[in-house]
Amino acid sequence: MAAGVAAWLPFARAAAIGWMPVANCPMPLAPADKNKRQDELIVLNVSGRRFQTWRTTLERYPDTLLGSTEKEFFFNEDTKEYFFDRDPEVFRCVLNFYRTGKLHYPRYECISAYDDELAFYGILPEIIGDCCYEEYKDRKRENAERLMDDNDSENNQESMPSLSFRQTMWRAFENPHTSTLALVFYYVTGFFIAVSVITNVVETVPCGTVPGSKELPCGERYSVAFFCLDTACVMIFTVEYLLRLFAAPSRYRFIRSVMSIIDVVAIMPYYIGLVMTNNEDVSGAFVTLRVFRVFRIFKFSRHSQGLRILGYTLKSCASELGFLLFSLTMAIIIFATVMFYAEKGSSASKFTSIPASFWYTIVTMTTLGYGDMVPKTIAGKIFGSICSLSGVLVIALPVPVIVSNFSRIYHQNQRADKRRAQKKARLARIRVAKTGSSNAYLHSKRNGLLNEALELTGTPEEEHMGKTTSLIESQHHHLLHCLEKTTGLSYLVDDPLLSVRTSTIKNHEFIDEQMFEQNCMESSMQNYPSTRSPSLSSHAGLTTTCCSRRSKKTTHLPNSNLPATRLRSMQELSTIHIQGSEQPSLTTSRSSLNLKADDGLRPNCKTSQITTAIISIPTPPALTPEGESRPPPASPGPNTNIPSIASNVVKVSAL
Amino acid sequence: TWAVTGEFLMSKRRDIEDELEMTMVCHRPEGLEQLEAQTNFTKRELQVLYRGFKNECPSGVVNEDTFKQIYAQFFPHGDASTYAHYLFNAFDTTQTGSVKFEDFVTALSILLRGTVHEKLRWTFNLYDINKDGYINKEEMMDIVKAIYDMMGKYTYPVLKEDTPRQHVDVFFQKMDKNKDGIVTLDEFLESCQEDDNIMRSLQLFQNVM
């Protein structure tokens, strides 16, 4: 519950009086304010700086260090103050959190120091307010990346004998700095890529004449030499590709990756060329294929971080570029059409068709102005000038705007995505906390009813189990309990699996006890496997859940809300009371007790079921059949759900 | 488009400035002694109440939205806004649209320290949505639905469609003595005083402060 709102709890509880005439069943008892003391100022001495605040301010958050009894460990008897040997600057933020309910993150503070302090005071960073949350998360991410980098470099220096040969190879390929062999391989491949690219370029240069024929490009003059070079390069690339393929942890993913596609495209033409030499029909296609050899230059992107970033940037601003292209296309089509029809009349016009005019439009709009196509008519010249002016506007102006837009939108998108992802995580945590709080409510409900039951029978058998909830929490839970009573419904922890279970169990009323115990065992085991003391408590858990189910059916009638049967119900309640207390103090098994109670009321079951269709009836708490001589408490408890019962029983049944 | 965005931003800034101006309106309550005389609280209790009040509403008045927000925090699972609306109207006796500290404390004084008569009268006033002195079935239906809304979706057993209506019928059966379809203040007082449960639950919050 939020901070300042705790101060309004008296108001909310007072307003609950508005429900009272509407409610049909009696309200639970209010938690007793046993240690009611006047609000006092307490002094918190943090490394010499004294802070003072009201005690109730700190108690707003009972699950933090300052709000719980944990701070008593820091109490200094001599000076009657709480001394913390921590940073007073961060403590300011922490204390403001108690005061205002909002946790802020100061920008000047180091993120890890801040995290440490929060961890010390038991405060979750997730509750940092919206104003500071983004900053906090950004800094945290940077810090995490820094840590990861540190770890990586550390790992790289260590020797990892446990890696298989395949894994070492992959690491060598991905990060050339791991070993000298990898570095050598890296430089060798880089060299051969360069050689291959230069070869491709040089082989088209005219290399002087051979007597008896025209000037030849170098590639045809020294074809053998170039062929050998090409073969060598392709062999190296093939070997490299195959090695990468072998070493890749996920071959399928590797094959689909961009770099491997580039590799394949780079070496394919050579093999295809080998396969179909001297075939006249496809030699044209073969020549085209050689163009693809230039893709080898993209292999450099493995070696250059900058190239990779550029590629990624282009990919991410594709939509902006696409829009620019689209608007350009529109303008080109419009002007080409206009120019074509304007120049249609003139003789020997180069504007033979609209597509032919495209060339003119593009050249004019990009202010190239080759001059190979020029309008001759007056209208054509007018429109031509309009075209070139608008070309300046259409191209020159938006480009810087788009570039800056792109960078802004790109960052904004990133921030929006970030915020969305953060929001999801935050909501998930808040939901967990909420269900935690409703679980806390349900727990304390059981505890409260157990206490009531204890007080009724006056048998303080076991010590007061259960968490010591703060007064504010217990009052809040009491308020929620009153609401449940008013409406006749009860809160359910929103676990879909749970609702299914309760509904199925509800339908099977008179099932076998064993099967029922098994059901209970399954569900309780599945939900709370951890903190259980063996045998007795688990058994108790089983029978309790079973009994709760059973007694839910059976004790419908006593708690009936119908006014006509009210008197009868009171009588029935007292009957059960008597019945319960008359049970022998020892029983062979708890289930037998349930059977007895069951039998006594079974004939009423059916009728009670019918009558309770109108208003849902709260059922007695899970603890009803627990104690041998404990009757159901006078104020019927709401229906329960299994895991809470189970977990609560664990605490209680230290009998 | 630049002109349009510019215009939009300017209007937004104006809105924000307007809002700032509105929140600058401050209200200070009457003196502590006067309030002590008018209500059943001691000075210390008033101090604690005011501190909490001022913390949540620094301007000194609660408007309906803040009221709803505060009340909703106590009922995280359901929708408490409707009931908070009716509560607000019950607190805002002068129908000004805002609850000052005096109104707040007066109502609390009745609820926590008042006589049974006063409490029941206050509750009657709460139920009487249009403040005409009578509770009819529609008003009660609204109130009961608002209360059920506070429980939220995840309840056991699941809330059925006609449960509120039946609840209201039960209420009218109990309260409406002459079966004329409306409950007057006298009928309400009489019926409530006959019902032990209600009497007991009215005393439930005695020790809240």
Side-chain angles (χ1 to χ4, degrees), chain A residues 186-290:
Chain A
Y186 175 76
Y187 281 126
V188 162
T189 43
F191 173 72
F192 272 100
I193 294 174
V195 161
S196 155
V197 168
I198 291 175
T199 331
N200 283 347
V201 165
V202 165
E203 74 181 4
T204 58
V205 171
C207 243
T209 53
V210 165
S213 74
K214 57 180 173 39
E215 200 164 328
L216 280 176
C218 283
E220 285 180 26
R221 190 148 170 210
Y222 304 106
S223 55
V224 176
F226 278 105
F227 181 71
C228 291
L229 261 178
D230 207 20
T231 314
C233 293
V234 167
M235 262 173 31
I236 301 265
F237 294 155
T238 317
V239 163
E240 180 205 354
Y241 181 70
L242 289 174
L243 282 178
R244 275 183 205 264
L245 188 62
F246 165 69
S250 159
R251 300 223 169 98
Y252 178 61
R253 203 150 43 97
F254 173 72
I255 288 180
R256 281 194 321 173
S257 73
V258 174
M259 288 312 302
S260 92
I261 292 178
I262 290 178
D263 288 339
V264 168
V265 167
I267 58 180
M268 261 316 149
Y270 177 81
Y271 289 112
I272 295 178
L274 274 185
V275 163
M276 50 179 184
T277 37
N278 298 331
N279 189 339
E280 279 302 321
D281 293 336
V282 293
S283 65
F286 168 63
V287 166
T288 327
L289 271 180
R290 302 190 89 195

Side-chain angles (χ1 to χ4, degrees), chain A residues 2 5 8 11 17-22 24 36 54 434 438 476 486-487 489-492 506 614 616 639, chain B residues 51-52 56 67 73-74 76-77 83 91 111 127 140 148 151 154-157 166-167 197 201-202 208-209:
Chain A
V5 186
W8 286 65
F11 145 69
I17 289 185
W19 310 334
M20 300 302 148
V22 174
N24 294 320
K36 188 178 173 77
W54 299 107
K434 241 208 237 176
S438 63
H476 185 211
T486 310
T487 55
L489 310 169
S490 68
Y491 279 112
L492 196 62
K506 182 179 166 205
I614 300 178
S616 28
N639 194 9
Chain B
R51 282 208 294 269
E56 206 60 26
F67 196 85
Q73 302 222 23
F74 294 105
H77 298 286
Y83 187 72
F91 269 74
L111 288 172
Y127 295 159
M140 211 49 221
Y148 273 96
M151 282 293 294
Y154 299 109
T155 57
Y156 182 80
Q166 280 152 5
H167 209 130
N197 269 342
S201 50
L202 282 180
V208 161
M209 278 304 298

Side-chain angles (χ1 to χ4, degrees), chain A residues 469-650:
Chain A
T469 52
S470 76
L471 183 63
I472 289 181
E473 255 191 51
S474 56
Q475 286 177 346
H476 185 211
H477 294 165
H478 175 248
L479 185 65
L480 292 174
H481 202 177
C482 288
L483 181 60
E484 285 186 348
K485 281 298 172 58
T486 310
T487 55
L489 310 169
S490 68
Y491 279 112
L492 196 62
V493 176
D494 49 2
D495 178 0
L497 181 62
L498 190 55
S499 337
V500 167
R501 277 212 182 258
T502 51
S503 60
T504 50
I505 291 176
K506 182 179 166 205
N507 290 334
H508 298 79
E509 284 164 15
F510 302 105
I511 55 174
D512 203 10
E513 192 179 20
Q514 254 99 14
M515 186 162 70
F516 196 77
E517 277 187 13
Q518 208 178 11
N519 278 347
C520 298
M521 164 138 57
E522 276 171 14
S523 56
S524 51
M525 280 304 153
Q526 141 200 338
N527 282 314
Y528 286 86
S530 50
T531 58
R532 294 178 151 260
S533 53
S535 63
L536 184 61
S537 57
S538 52
H539 183 61
L542 296 176
T543 48
T544 308
T545 54
C546 307
C547 302
S548 80
R549 287 285 147 227
R550 207 158 283 232
S551 49
K552 160 186 107 81
K553 302 187 287 293
T554 56
T555 50
H556 268 179
L557 193 55
N559 307 329
S560 165
N561 285 343
L562 300 179
T565 58
R566 186 184 296 264
L567 213 48
R568 187 155 55 101
S569 68
M570 298 304 273
Q571 285 174 350
E572 237 113 20
L573 190 58
S574 48
T575 323
I576 294 178
H577 187 115
I578 297 168
Q579 205 174 29
S581 59
E582 272 177 0
Q583 297 297 337
S585 49
L586 68 95
T587 48
T588 47
S589 84
R590 296 212 176 101
S591 37
S592 64
L593 165 69
N594 309 328
L595 227 41
K596 283 214 166 145
D598 212 4
D599 284 337
L601 296 168
R602 195 172 281 216
N604 297 327
C605 230
K606 284 238 170 76
T607 50
S608 72
Q609 289 297 15
I610 297 171
T611 53
T612 58
I614 300 178
I615 297 172
S616 28
I617 308 301
T619 57
L623 315 160
T624 311
E626 249 255 328
E628 293 85 2
S629 54
R630 194 173 311 132
S635 58
N639 194 9
T640 55
N641 40 45
I642 300 174
S644 327
I645 300 170
S647 71
N648 197 46
V649 161
V650 168

